[in-house]
Amino acid sequence: MRKQLLFNTLLIFFISTKLPAQTVNKDSIENIAVKDVKNLFKLKNPQLHNFRKYRYTSSSDYFKPNELNVSNVSLLKDSVYINTYRTAAYYQTKRDARLLITLF
């Protein structure tokens, strides 16, 4: 009776714990996101002027990655990639807007 109870308890414990199949290095995903922003992301001039005028944050839809400006579409499901992409796109656009101000 005790062995059965112990066995059932251990079985439930091991079944209920989640074991990830393989972890992906967070830094490599962040590096891919930054590289994608540098190579594939650029706001058009009307959007850039709106960014300067309304001072959007990195959570704006302007910085949302889509199929056209990412190297691997499957990364669009990864939250680390999305957050890093948005942050890098925001700072790149902020830098571009600053350069645009100095030109005029």
Side-chain angles (χ1 to χ4, degrees):
M1 180 85 165
R2 288 185 193 176
K3 288 182 183 179
Q4 184 69 25
L5 181 63
L6 180 63
F7 177 75
N8 287 342
T9 305
L10 290 175
L11 183 65
I12 291 172
F13 174 75
F14 286 120
I15 290 174
S16 66
T17 58
K18 295 180 181 178
L19 297 175
Q22 182 179 5
T23 58
V24 177
N25 192 356
K26 182 179 175 183
D27 293 338
S28 64
I29 291 178
E30 290 174 346
N31 291 338
I32 293 169
V34 170
K35 185 178 172 185
D36 284 350
V37 168
K38 285 182 181 178
N39 296 334
L40 303 171
F41 178 81
K42 184 165 174 74
L43 287 180
K44 295 177 179 65
N45 276 341
Q47 294 172 335
L48 191 59
H49 288 294
N50 282 342
F51 171 76
R52 283 182 42 218
K53 185 177 180 180
Y54 299 114
R55 300 180 186 207
Y56 293 119
T57 62
S58 63
S59 62
S60 171
D61 283 345
Y62 282 140
F63 309 113
K64 187 184 287 186
N66 59 32
E67 293 86 10
L68 299 175
N69 53 15
V70 296
S71 60
N72 187 352
V73 179
S74 65
L75 288 173
L76 291 175
K77 298 176 184 172
D78 189 359
S79 63
V80 172
Y81 178 83
I82 299 290
N83 291 334
T84 305
Y85 187 96
R86 282 182 165 218
T87 304
Y90 170 77
Y91 283 111
Q92 177 177 322
T93 304
K94 193 172 177 181
R95 186 194 73 226
D96 292 346
R98 220 178 292 142
L99 289 175
L100 188 64
I101 290 171
T102 59
L103 292 176
F104 292 106

